[in-house]
Amino acid sequence: MADKPADKADQVKIHAPDRSLHAKIGHANLDQILTPQIIKAAESKIAASSEKFLDDSLEAMQELERSFAVLHQAPMETAAHLPIIINAAFSMKTKTGFVGYDLVWAVAKSLQIFCEIRTGKACTTKDFEIMRWHISSIKQLFDGKIKGDGGAVGAAILAEIERLTAAK
C-alpha cells in the first residue's frame, strides 16, 4: 500500500527568528541610534581589545614556540605536541579577525590546517621548515603589530607559504 502524502498540519515547521540588526531595532533610523559618540566609544573599545589581544597572544605564541622546539628535538612526539600547536594556532585564528589582524588569521589558519593534516605522522625536515616559517611569520607580524593584509610584507609571507606547501 502506497504511503499517502502527509497533511500540511503533520509537517514539521521550522522557526528561524530574524536576528538581523533591523529586526532588533525595528524601523528606526540607524543615524539616530549610531551617533558619533557611540561610534567613537565602540572604536575605542575595539582599539583597547586589540592591545589586550596582543598581550594575551604572547602566552599562546610562547606555547607555540615551546611546543615546536620540543617537537623539533623529538619528531616522533607528534602525538603530544602537534595538538598543542594546533590549539595555539586555532586560538590565534579565532581572536585575530576581531581586532584587524587579518594576515595573522590567514597564517594561523594555514598552520592549523597543515598540522591537522600531519597529525598521526612523523614530521619530516620539510614539515619542520613549513611549521617554522608559519611560526616565525606570526611572531614577526605580532612584533611589528602588522594589521590588515600586511601589504608587501603580507604578500611575501603568503607567497612563501604557498611555495613551501605547494609540493606537500
Side-chain angles (χ1 to χ4, degrees):
M1 176 176 243
D3 291 333
K4 69 177 191 174
D7 290 340
K8 287 202 183 249
D10 293 338
Q11 294 179 351
V12 174
K13 293 180 181 147
I14 298 173
H15 176 68
D18 183 359
R19 298 188 191 279
S20 67
L21 181 59
H22 181 332
K24 291 176 183 177
I25 64 172
H27 296 286
N29 183 347
L30 284 179
D31 292 338
Q32 294 172 341
I33 296 170
L34 299 177
T35 64
Q37 295 85 1
I38 290 175
I39 292 171
K40 186 175 181 179
E43 288 172 346
S44 174
K45 290 283 187 187
I46 290 169
S49 68
S50 178
E51 290 302 315
K52 182 176 177 353
F53 165 76
L54 287 175
D55 294 341
D56 291 347
S57 295
L58 179 60
E59 186 177 317
M61 188 72 227
Q62 290 170 342
E63 185 64 28
L64 189 61
E65 291 175 316
R66 265 193 311 274
S67 291
F68 176 74
V70 170
L71 182 60
H72 192 258
Q73 293 298 318
M76 298 310 291
E77 296 295 321
T78 58
H81 294 282
L82 266 183
I84 296 169
I85 293 172
I86 291 167
N87 289 338
F90 177 79
S91 176
M92 287 178 193
K93 183 185 78 170
T94 57
K95 294 176 185 175
T96 53
F98 293 117
V99 292
Y101 287 87
D102 302 337
L103 185 57
V104 173
W105 179 90
V107 175
K109 178 182 178 188
S110 176
L111 176 61
Q112 177 192 350
I113 291 169
F114 179 79
C115 290
E116 286 172 347
I117 292 168
R118 298 302 310 149
T119 299
K121 303 172 188 166
C123 292
T124 66
T125 302
K126 179 79 169 174
D127 294 337
F128 287 117
E129 180 184 359
I130 292 169
M131 285 187 271
R132 182 181 295 113
W133 179 259
H134 280 88
I135 294 167
S136 66
S137 295
I138 292 169
K139 184 164 178 40
Q140 176 187 0
L141 295 169
F142 280 146
D143 290 349
K145 296 184 179 181
I146 298 173
K147 288 189 165 188
D149 67 6
V153 170
I157 288 171
L158 294 176
E160 183 62 9
I161 289 172
E162 180 69 28
R163 184 191 71 75
L164 288 169
T165 58
K168 250 347 230 172

